[in-house]
Amino acid sequence: MKISFVILLLSACLAAPLPAANKKDKAQKPVKMSTLYKAASTAIKNASGQDGARNNLMNALQRTDLKDKDRAEIYYTTAKLYESTNSVENRKAYLKQKYDTALFFNSLLNMYEQLRLCDSVDATPNAQEKIRLKYAKKTRELRQKHIRNILNGGKFFLYKGNYASAYDFLDDYYTYASNRQDTLLPKLAYQAALCGYLTSHPAHTLKYIDKAIESASRGDKPILQEYKVRTYAMLKNDSAWVRELRAGVRKYPEHDYFFVNLADYYASHKLTSEGCALADSLIRVVSANKAIYWYTKCKMKLLDNDYEACIQFADSTLLRDPTFADAYYNKGISYLNMAVIRQESACNDIKDPRFAQDRQTIRQLFASAMPCMRKVRELQPDKVDRWAPPLYRIYLFLNKGKEFDEIDRLLKEKASEDAKRQAEPAKK
C-alpha cells in the first residue's frame, strides 16, 4: 500500500501545472556593461578568452539604450582586445614557438579599424553641439605603438601576392603615419595604387594613383596613367576616361596607348577633324615616321568619304610600314567606293563617247582596288570575311573567272561553317 501511495503522489506532481513565474518566462536582463568590461580586462590580463570577450562587446552594440560615449568605449576596449591577441602571437614568435603570422598582422589591422570607429563616435557633437574628445590621444598613441608592424603587414601580404589584404595595411600606414615627410610614403602610394588595380578595385586605385604618378620615375609614369585610364573605363565613366586619355597624350606622347584609344574614340564619334588634329600634333611632337599617325589620318578621311585623301594617307602609311594591313584595306575600299559612285553617274548610252570613257575609268578603279585587297588577304589570311567580299566584287567586274570561282567557293564554305557553328548550341 505504501508503494501505491508514492506512485499516486508522483503522478499528481507530474500532472500539476508549472509555477506562474516559469509560465511567464520573463526576458532575461542584459548583462551590465561593467561586467562586460571587467571580462575584457580579465581576458587581456590572462592573455586568453579575447574572442569571447570581444564578441560579447560587439553584440552589446545592438542595445538601443547605448549612448555615444558607451559606443566609443566599446570600440576602444575591442581594439585593446585585438592588441592582446597580437601580443599573444608576438610572444610565441619571441619564444621561437609556432605562431600564426596572418593572425599576428590581421589582429593589428582589426585594432586599427576599431580605433577608427572609436574616433568617429568620439567626434560626434553632444546635445549642446560641442565636441569633447575623450579617446583621441589614446587612439593615436595605440596606433603609433604598432605602426611599424602595420607596414610590415603590408610587406608580408605583398610578398604572398594577397594584394587585397596588402592594400588595407598600406592604406592604414599611409593614413596614420605621424610623419608626413616619411620617405616611404611615395613608394607606398605606388604599391597601394597597384594593389587597387590588380584587385579591380577602382576606389582604391584612384585614391592613390595621382600620388603614385607624381613620385614615379619617368618610365613608370605613363604605365600608371594607363592604369588610371583603364580604371575609369572599368567604371564606365566616359568623360573621365576621355579626359585622362587626353592628359596621357599631352604628358606622354610617346606612349601609343593614349593616342590609339583617343583616336578610336574620335573615329567612333565621327570627330574626324579632332582625329586628324591629334595625329598632326604627334607627327610634330614625336615623329613624322610613325605609320600609326598617318593611318589615323587615312581612317578619318575614309569616315569623311574623302576617298582621294584616304588613298593619299594610306600611301603615306605604307611608305613607313609596308605591312600595315589596315592601310591596304582602306585604300582598296576607297577605290571600290569611288568605282560605285562613278557607276551610279556613268553614261548608259552605249553610243555616247562618254560610255566608253566612264567604263574605262570604273574598270581602272576596280583594277586599282584589286592589289590592295590581295595584299590584305596575304597579310591576314584568316580574316576571310574582310577581304573575300571585296575581291568577289572586283573579280566579278573584271571578269576574272578563275579567281572569281575560288572566292565564290571560299565564301560558300565560310557560310556553311558559320551555319554549322550557329546550330551547335541548339543541339546541346
Side-chain angles (χ1 to χ4, degrees):
M1 290 297 294
K2 287 183 180 180
I3 293 175
S4 299
F5 176 76
V6 172
I7 292 174
L8 288 172
L9 182 61
L10 284 173
S11 299
C13 290
L14 290 171
L18 293 171
N22 290 342
K23 202 171 185 179
K24 290 181 180 179
D25 192 19
K26 293 181 179 179
Q28 190 176 12
K29 291 184 179 179
V31 180
K32 292 181 179 180
M33 291 305 303
S34 58
T35 302
L36 296 180
Y37 293 133
K38 184 177 181 181
S41 297
T42 301
I44 293 171
K45 180 180 179 181
N46 296 336
S48 65
Q50 295 96 328
D51 290 349
R54 187 172 59 247
N55 290 337
N56 289 335
L57 281 172
M58 297 305 291
N59 289 335
L61 287 169
Q62 306 301 319
R63 299 183 184 181
T64 58
D65 60 333
L66 287 183
K67 297 180 180 179
D68 287 335
K69 64 177 182 179
D70 298 318
R71 296 182 185 279
E73 188 171 0
I74 288 174
Y75 289 131
Y76 183 75
T77 306
T78 302
K80 294 291 289 183
L81 284 164
Y82 275 121
E83 182 193 34
S84 177
T85 298
N86 173 264
S87 297
V88 171
E89 297 305 311
N90 188 43
R91 180 171 177 78
K92 290 177 183 176
Y94 178 77
L95 296 175
K96 308 297 183 184
Q97 297 174 354
K98 185 178 180 180
Y99 70 103
D100 188 331
T101 309
L103 178 60
F104 173 83
F105 288 120
N106 283 326
S107 58
L108 291 181
L109 190 70
N110 291 330
M111 181 193 77
Y112 264 56
E113 173 61 13
Q114 296 304 308
L115 293 176
R116 184 190 68 78
L117 293 170
C118 177
D119 285 339
S120 178
V121 175
D122 196 30
T124 303
N126 59 20
Q128 291 74 40
E129 295 299 317
K130 293 182 179 180
I131 297 176
R132 292 191 172 90
L133 299 177
K134 177 181 178 182
Y135 291 93
K137 182 179 179 180
K138 291 195 289 186
T139 57
R140 183 171 58 253
E141 289 176 348
L142 190 53
R143 282 194 194 93
Q144 293 309 309
K145 178 180 176 183
H146 297 282
I147 191 72
R148 296 304 299 182
N149 274 333
I150 287 293
L151 176 60
N152 291 334
K155 293 178 180 178
F156 171 78
F157 285 106
L158 275 176
Y159 178 77
K160 292 289 186 181
N162 186 341
Y163 301 115
S165 294
Y167 174 87
D168 293 333
F169 286 90
L170 298 173
D171 182 48
D172 273 354
Y173 185 89
Y174 196 100
T175 302
Y176 295 111
S178 58
N179 179 14
R180 300 319 296 173
Q181 303 304 315
D182 188 338
T183 57
L184 291 174
L185 294 183
K187 180 180 180 181
L188 296 183
Y190 182 98
Q191 293 174 333
L194 288 182
C195 285
Y197 181 76
L198 292 171
T199 54
S200 301
H201 201 306
H204 291 173
T205 306
L206 295 177
K207 181 175 181 179
Y208 286 102
I209 197 69
D210 287 333
K211 299 182 183 73
I213 293 172
E214 182 181 347
S215 60
S217 65
R218 177 65 190 178
D220 286 342
K221 286 180 185 292
I223 303 299
L224 291 170
Q225 178 69 20
E226 182 178 330
Y227 291 163
K228 187 177 182 182
V229 170
R230 291 180 182 276
T231 299
Y232 280 120
M234 186 187 305
L235 292 170
K236 301 187 185 317
N237 187 334
D238 290 345
S239 60
W241 179 74
V242 172
R243 182 191 70 223
E244 296 305 328
L245 278 176
R246 287 172 175 156
V249 170
R250 185 177 68 254
K251 296 176 183 177
Y252 320 108
E254 70 285 352
H255 195 68
D256 287 342
Y257 172 85
F258 307 113
F259 167 76
V260 170
N261 282 274
L262 188 55
D264 285 346
Y265 171 80
Y266 286 148
S268 65
H269 288 76
K270 301 297 190 291
L271 301 171
T272 55
S273 296
E274 288 85 344
C276 287
L278 173 66
D280 285 334
S281 68
L282 292 181
I283 287 172
R284 290 192 302 270
V285 173
V286 180
S287 172
N289 291 319
K290 291 192 72 168
I292 188 66
Y293 301 153
W294 295 99
Y295 171 72
T296 296
K297 291 167 70 69
C298 166
K299 183 177 182 179
M300 298 301 166
K301 292 304 179 183
L302 181 60
L303 289 171
D304 282 339
N305 300 324
D306 187 347
Y307 302 122
E308 290 184 357
C310 177
I311 292 169
Q312 174 191 339
F313 289 125
D315 287 338
S316 297
T317 304
L318 296 170
L319 181 65
R320 292 159 176 83
D321 182 359
T323 63
F324 210 119
D326 287 346
Y328 283 111
Y329 180 83
N330 285 5
K331 184 177 179 180
I333 287 296
S334 292
Y335 278 124
L336 282 176
N337 287 346
M338 290 168 70
V340 170
I341 292 171
R342 192 60 181 265
Q343 281 179 316
E344 291 173 351
S345 61
C347 177
N348 293 320
D349 186 355
I350 193 170
K351 295 180 181 179
D352 192 319
R354 291 177 300 172
F355 178 85
Q357 294 174 358
D358 289 345
R359 186 73 177 176
Q360 179 61 28
T361 300
I362 295 168
R363 183 178 183 81
Q364 185 57 48
L365 289 171
F366 273 103
S368 296
M370 183 168 61
C372 300
M373 288 305 172
R374 283 178 171 175
K375 193 66 176 179
V376 175
R377 179 180 184 178
E378 176 188 328
L379 295 170
Q380 299 178 329
D382 294 335
K383 295 187 177 181
V384 178
D385 287 337
R386 192 176 203 204
W387 47 259
L391 283 175
Y392 179 95
R393 190 168 189 175
I394 292 168
Y395 292 151
L396 178 64
F397 184 87
L398 296 177
N399 198 24
K400 298 280 187 180
K402 181 180 178 182
E403 291 88 343
F404 175 82
D405 290 341
E406 183 210 6
I407 292 296
D408 185 51
R409 177 179 55 78
L410 283 174
L411 286 172
K412 288 177 179 177
E413 290 176 354
K414 183 70 167 55
S416 177
E417 291 174 1
D418 290 344
K420 288 180 180 178
R421 194 176 299 112
Q422 291 177 1
E424 284 177 359
K427 289 181 180 180
K428 293 178 181 178

